[in-house]
Amino acid sequence: MEDRAAQDFWLSNLGEANRFNRWVLSRFARHLGEDVLEVGCGVGNFTVLMAEGGRRVTGIDIEPSYVETARRRLAAFPGARVSCGDATAAEWSERFDTVVALDVVEHIADDRAFLERLRAV
C-alpha cells in the first residue's frame, strides 16, 4: 500500500464526514442494484450506507485491519459481508448488479484489465 499513515488518516476522517459520505452516495445511489460488490471498501464508510438501504453488499479490501473494522461496523446488517483479499486476483462465483470502486481504480497498475474482470461479475 502506498502511504499507510495517510490512508489511515483519510479513512478515519472520511468516516466522520457523514453528510459528505451521504452526499457522495446520493450521486450514484439510484444506479445501485440489490446485490453490490464494493471493491476497496476500507473500514466500511460507504459499505454501511449502502447496507442501510437494505442492499446485499459484499465488500473486499486488502488491508486486514480495515476489514476487521468494517466487519464490526456491519455486524448489524445480515445482508452485508466483508472479506480480506486482493481484488485484482479475487474470483467471485456470485454475480452482482453493481460494482462500486471509490478511490480504488487509480491505485491499480493495469486498471483496464481490472475493470474488465469486474465487468464480468
Side-chain angles (χ1 to χ4, degrees), residues 81-104:
R81 63 187 177 95
V82 180
S83 61
C84 188
D86 181 349
T88 63
E91 297 292 331
W92 289 281
S93 57
E94 63 267 67
R95 295 292 176 246
F96 303 93
D97 301 319
T98 312
V99 176
V100 174
L102 299 169
D103 299 318
V104 172

Side-chain angles (χ1 to χ4, degrees), residues 18 22 25 34 36 38 43-59 69-82:
N18 196 41
R22 289 188 184 282
L25 179 66
E34 289 300 312
V36 178
E38 185 184 14
V43 296
N45 293 328
F46 291 99
T47 324
V48 168
L49 296 177
M50 290 185 284
E52 283 176 350
R55 293 175 188 85
R56 289 176 298 279
V57 183
T58 300
T69 299
R71 284 178 177 159
R72 280 195 309 271
R73 294 180 69 193
L74 290 155
F77 301 99
R81 63 187 177 95
V82 180

Side-chain angles (χ1 to χ4, degrees), residues 3 31 39 45 57 62-63 75 83 85 89 91 95 108:
D3 181 355
H31 301 289
V39 175
N45 293 328
V57 183
I62 199 166
E63 176 54 50
S83 61
E91 297 292 331
R95 295 292 176 246
I108 307 296

Side-chain angles (χ1 to χ4, degrees), residues 3-44:
D3 181 355
R4 173 68 192 272
Q7 186 70 15
D8 290 349
F9 177 82
W10 170 248
L11 287 173
S12 174
N13 284 292
L14 185 62
E16 296 174 15
N18 196 41
R19 287 194 310 198
F20 174 75
N21 293 341
R22 289 188 184 282
W23 175 80
V24 170
L25 179 66
S26 76
R27 307 315 301 160
F28 63 88
R30 67 188 172 113
H31 301 289
L32 293 173
E34 289 300 312
D35 292 301
V36 178
L37 170 63
E38 185 184 14
V39 175
C41 67
V43 296

